[in-house]
């Protein structure tokens, strides 16, 4: 009798084990690594593939870029929803559009390519008229990061030397991409050995109908922000935190991107469409909703959460059909949009904006989550 009970117990354990093992392996994203290509100087660029259920993300070490992101629609049909290229040369040889890149050291613009810190003036390379855009001529988007596999994803590290693109301090930046529970999380860490300024973001262009599937004007956007930072003709913030109420920049109620994009509005004219930083309403440093975007024909929904104080909503106004991306798709005007979670543009020159300073002994830590679901 006792032996029989033992046998039944053992059988129960085996059954439990057989049920739990496949469950556990389903929950943990599968991570694989391969070579994506060689740069012109012969450096190997690796690509990490993260797979969880039907979602698949590929991240390469050149620019720590999100190369592809496959997500199911309401019928389970999978499409790649980020713009980019099929091979490394596409990224290195074409005009820089920051497809999928980690942008640094400073995301968006620094006016007149200069700022002061601790009473000292720093000069940066100007690469956008007289201003510095996205970290300078050789920003983090063009560096080869060191990758290694972590649970659910990949961690990428880069060391930027003191004086790199004019910025002070040796900066060590680490970015973790992980895929878990139908969401792609990007976590940022950085330390410095001298006082410096820093603003890291990811510059993925989304098209929730699938990259190459036309413009994004019918995507319905919600941004829960009462204010934004208006810009001048160089797309530099004026310093105001203006109310969105009564303007075509108000996305507090879900609205199609195309509904008002051609309205007679000075800010839309300056941006050639939406290219504006929204001031998120809640407390900094805690995850809060920054945006929700729904694509009506496929039902794909993207929800963005972030610890950052701002989000740059960019409607792909500089895409002009000259870039031919994945499978030769022509990336015409407004065929992708970006939601760059960030500190405000030109913060080093605006003492009233949330600070972007980082000091030795401090660790910069921010996180952004892109969550995927579907709507009927
Ligand atoms: C950001 C900027 C835009 C543009 C793109 C890159 O989103 O705000 O003005 O420079 O990057 O083309």
């Amino acid at each position: 009798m006792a032996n029989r009970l033992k046998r039944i117990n053992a059988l129960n354990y085996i059954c439990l084990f057989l049920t739990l093992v496949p469950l556990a392996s389903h929950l943990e994203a599968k991570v694989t690594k391969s070579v994506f290509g060689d740069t012109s100087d012969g450096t190997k660029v690796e690509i990490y593939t993260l797979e969880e259920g039907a979602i698949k993300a590929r991240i390469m070490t050149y620019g720590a870029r999100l190369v592809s992101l496959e997500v199911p629609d309401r019928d389970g049909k999978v499409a790649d929803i980020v713009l980019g290229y099929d091979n490394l040369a596409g990224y290195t040889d074409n005009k820089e559009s920051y497809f999928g890149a980690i942008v640094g050291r400073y995301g968006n613009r620094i006016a007149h390519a200069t700022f002061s810190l601790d009473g000292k003036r720093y000069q940066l390379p100007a690469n956008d008229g007289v201003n510095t855009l996205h970290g300078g001529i050789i920003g983090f988007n063009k560096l080869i990061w060191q990758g290694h596999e972590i649970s659910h994803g990949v961690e990428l590290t880069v060391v930027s030397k003191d004086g790199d693109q004019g910025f002070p301090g040796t900066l060590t930046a680490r970015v973790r991409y992980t895929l878990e529970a139908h969401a792609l999380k990007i976590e940022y860490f950085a330390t410095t050995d001298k006082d410096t300024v820093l603003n890291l973001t990811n510059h993925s262009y989304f098209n929730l109908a699938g990259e190459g599937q036309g413009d994004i004007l019918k995507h319905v956007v919600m941004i829960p922000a009462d204010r934004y930072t208006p810009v001048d003709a160089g797309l530099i913030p004026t310093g105001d935190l203006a109310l969105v109420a009564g303007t075509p920049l108000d996305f507090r109620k879900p609205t199609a991107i195309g509904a008002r994009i051609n309205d007679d509005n000075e800010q839309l004219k300056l941006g050639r469409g939406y290219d504006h930083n929204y001031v998120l309403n809640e407390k900094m440093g805690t995850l809060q909703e920054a945006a929700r975007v729904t694509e009506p024909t496929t039902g794909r929904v993207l929800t963005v959460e972030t610890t950052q104080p701002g989000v740059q909503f960019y409607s792909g106004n500089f895409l002009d059909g000259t870039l031919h991306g994945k499978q030769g798709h022509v990336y015409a005007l407004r065929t992708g949009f970006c939601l760059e979670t960030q500190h405000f543009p030109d913060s080093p020159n605006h003492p009233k904006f949330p600070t972007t300073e980082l000091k030795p002994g401090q660790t910069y830590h921010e996180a952004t989550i892109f969550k995927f679901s579907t709507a009927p």
Side-chain angles (χ1 to χ4, degrees):
M1 181 70 181
N3 267 345
R4 215 175 135 223
L5 273 179
K6 266 191 204 153
R7 266 209 310 275
I8 291 173
N9 262 341
L11 268 176
N12 279 344
Y13 279 120
I14 291 169
C15 287
L16 191 68
F17 182 76
L18 289 177
T19 337
L20 286 181
V21 163
L23 262 182
S25 58
H26 180 69
L27 291 176
E28 177 89 10
K30 190 176 137 207
V31 182
T32 49
K33 178 174 103 170
S34 59
V35 172
F36 192 49
D38 292 322
T39 60
S40 51
D41 69 3
T43 313
K44 284 232 167 325
V45 170
E46 287 162 345
I47 190 156
Y48 289 79
T49 303
L50 283 40
E51 281 170 274
E52 190 223 25
I55 303 185
K56 183 163 149 186
R58 287 157 72 236
I59 295 113
M60 69 161 151
T61 52
Y62 176 72
R65 292 175 194 241
L66 179 64
V67 172
S68 62
L69 180 56
E70 290 174 30
V71 174
D73 70 4
R74 63 161 79 87
D75 301 321
K77 194 171 158 241
V78 166
D80 181 359
I81 59 160
V82 292
L83 276 57
Y85 300 100
D86 292 322
N87 53 42
L88 181 62
Y91 291 89
T92 54
D93 298 359
N94 280 306
K95 189 191 93 178
E96 182 57 271
S97 293
Y98 305 92
F99 288 143
I102 294 296
V103 168
R105 293 189 188 190
Y106 200 95
N108 214 281
R109 292 172 176 81
I110 295 184
H112 300 288
T114 184
F115 66 93
S116 290
L117 182 65
D118 305 330
K120 200 173 159 204
R121 183 153 286 278
Y122 293 92
Q123 198 60 48
L124 314 172
N127 60 338
D128 187 57
V130 295
N131 305 316
T132 302
L133 176 67
H134 294 330
I137 293 165
I138 305 176
F140 285 5
N141 53 301
K142 288 192 187 301
L143 301 183
I144 309 258
W145 297 56
Q146 291 303 315
H148 75 266
E149 186 182 327
I150 56 171
S151 172
H152 297 288
V154 56
E155 180 177 283
L156 301 128
T157 306
V158 84
V159 179
S160 165
K161 291 204 182 89
D162 187 15
D164 183 14
Q165 305 299 297
F167 291 97
T170 303
L171 188 90
T172 305
R174 278 184 300 136
V175 173
R176 285 186 191 154
Y177 286 88
T178 49
L179 194 55
E180 224 176 328
H182 309 296
L184 180 70
K185 183 174 183 184
I186 311 181
E187 225 175 336
Y188 304 83
F189 303 87
T191 52
T192 180
D193 64 1
K194 274 187 196 162
D195 289 7
T196 194
V197 295
L198 179 66
N199 189 24
L200 301 178
T201 191
N202 175 276
H203 205 299
S204 290
Y205 289 67
F206 296 95
N207 184 330
L208 299 183
E211 63 75 36
Q213 302 304 309
D215 68 49
I216 44 80
L217 298 175
K218 290 197 180 72
H219 285 59
V220 175
V221 170
M222 194 282 296
I223 301 175
D226 296 331
R227 293 178 185 271
Y228 73 105
T229 51
V231 288
D232 66 15
L235 298 184
I236 298 293
T238 60
D240 290 347
L241 303 183
L243 289 167
V244 294
T247 78
L249 285 97
D250 189 350
F251 280 96
R252 291 173 299 176
K253 286 204 191 98
T255 310
I257 297 177
R260 303 162 301 180
I261 200 164
N262 296 318
D263 279 13
D264 185 14
N265 171 278
E266 198 209 354
Q267 285 297 314
L268 289 179
K269 286 196 179 124
L270 292 171
R272 303 183 182 198
Y274 296 102
D275 195 353
H276 293 87
N277 170 65
Y278 283 81
V279 178
L280 299 172
N281 294 317
E282 299 299 323
K283 268 180 42 200
M284 271 170 64
T286 51
L287 278 172
Q288 59 190 292
E289 192 169 273
R292 200 178 331 124
V293 187
T294 306
E295 200 287 307
T297 59
T298 60
R300 287 195 188 90
V301 179
L302 165 67
T303 306
V304 184
E305 291 178 0
T306 190
T307 55
Q308 297 265 19
V311 61
Q312 183 84 11
F313 173 42
Y314 171 56
S315 52
N317 315 308
F318 292 113
L319 297 174
D320 60 5
T322 52
L323 296 177
H324 294 208
K326 295 169 185 171
Q327 298 176 57
H329 289 150
V330 175
Y331 292 150
L333 182 71
R334 298 175 182 156
T335 50
F337 67 89
C338 303
L339 288 163
E340 302 154 65
T341 53
Q342 60 176 14
H343 273 251
F344 305 171
D346 199 31
S347 295
N349 293 311
H350 292 275
K352 288 199 179 127
F353 286 176
T355 184
T356 49
E357 289 177 25
L358 183 71
K359 296 180 191 311
Q362 298 177 332
T363 300
Y364 169 98
H365 182 208
E366 300 283 357
T368 294
I369 306 185
F370 296 110
K371 291 187 171 171
F372 304 101
S373 55
T374 53

